[in-house]
Amino acid sequence: MSLIERLPAIVRQSREEYENARANSSVRFLLTEQIGGPSQNQLVLGDNAAYMAWLLNEKQMEGKIDLIYIDPPFFTQNKFNSEIKLRSKRVRTLAAIKTTAYSDQFNRSLPDYLVMLASRLYLMRDLLADSGS
């Protein structure tokens, strides 16, 4: 079955995950840093769906956020590397330090990825103000 043929099921499953997140207010994240007052900027570690559901269910933030920026994985299934070349005036050739910059690997299927992304977009829609971006 093609991905296009699977889209109705993907949308249905996304909606179910969204509704489950809205119905479940259990906390599965860690507030690691807060800048300003309690309603100011926050840095959170954990599942963003759990955090968004908490904002909606516990903090009544529906329609109150002016800007949401997301940088989701792009499902490239690649690891991206970084290389730092060392320089020295005394030594002509130095080794480079190579490390993984980040991994864009999603360990499940493309339909699972689309469900994960769409369910979070539903939550973001609920949080975003009518005049928001």
Side-chain angles (χ1 to χ4, degrees):
M1 182 181 294
S2 74
L3 186 59
I4 296 294
E5 293 170 321
R6 296 179 74 180
L7 280 178
I10 291 168
V11 171
R12 188 171 40 258
Q13 188 177 352
S14 300
R15 186 75 184 178
E16 289 171 6
E17 284 195 17
Y18 155 75
E19 290 169 356
N20 287 340
R22 285 298 308 254
N24 182 3
S25 62
S26 66
V27 177
R28 294 182 308 262
F29 62 88
L30 173 65
L31 179 63
T32 60
E33 186 174 339
Q34 187 165 305
I35 301 165
S39 63
Q40 296 295 315
N41 302 313
Q42 298 177 342
L43 181 62
V44 176
L45 176 62
D47 184 348
N48 64 353
Y51 182 65
M52 289 187 289
W54 179 79
L55 287 174
L56 289 162
N57 297 335
E58 304 297 324
K59 294 296 185 180
Q60 290 76 46
M61 292 292 294
E62 187 160 345
K64 295 184 180 177
I65 295 181
D66 293 323
L67 176 68
I68 297 176
Y69 171 81
I70 64 170
D71 185 17
F74 291 100
F75 202 76
T76 65
Q77 300 302 80
N78 290 319
K79 287 184 180 178
F80 294 89
N81 298 316
S82 176
E83 183 176 302
I84 301 169
K85 294 182 180 179
L86 304 173
R87 295 182 186 176
S88 171
K89 292 180 181 178
R90 295 181 185 172
V91 181
R92 288 194 172 188
T93 57
L94 292 175
I97 299 172
K98 294 181 182 181
T99 186
T100 299
Y102 65 95
S103 174
D104 187 34
Q105 294 182 322
F106 191 79
N107 295 328
R108 292 178 280 164
S109 69
L110 180 56
D112 289 334
Y113 168 79
L114 294 173
V115 167
M116 178 277 301
L117 190 57
S119 63
R120 283 157 175 79
L121 291 171
Y122 281 126
L123 291 165
M124 289 176 215
R125 179 204 57 200
D126 289 350
L127 288 164
L128 196 61
D130 288 340
S131 60
S133 298

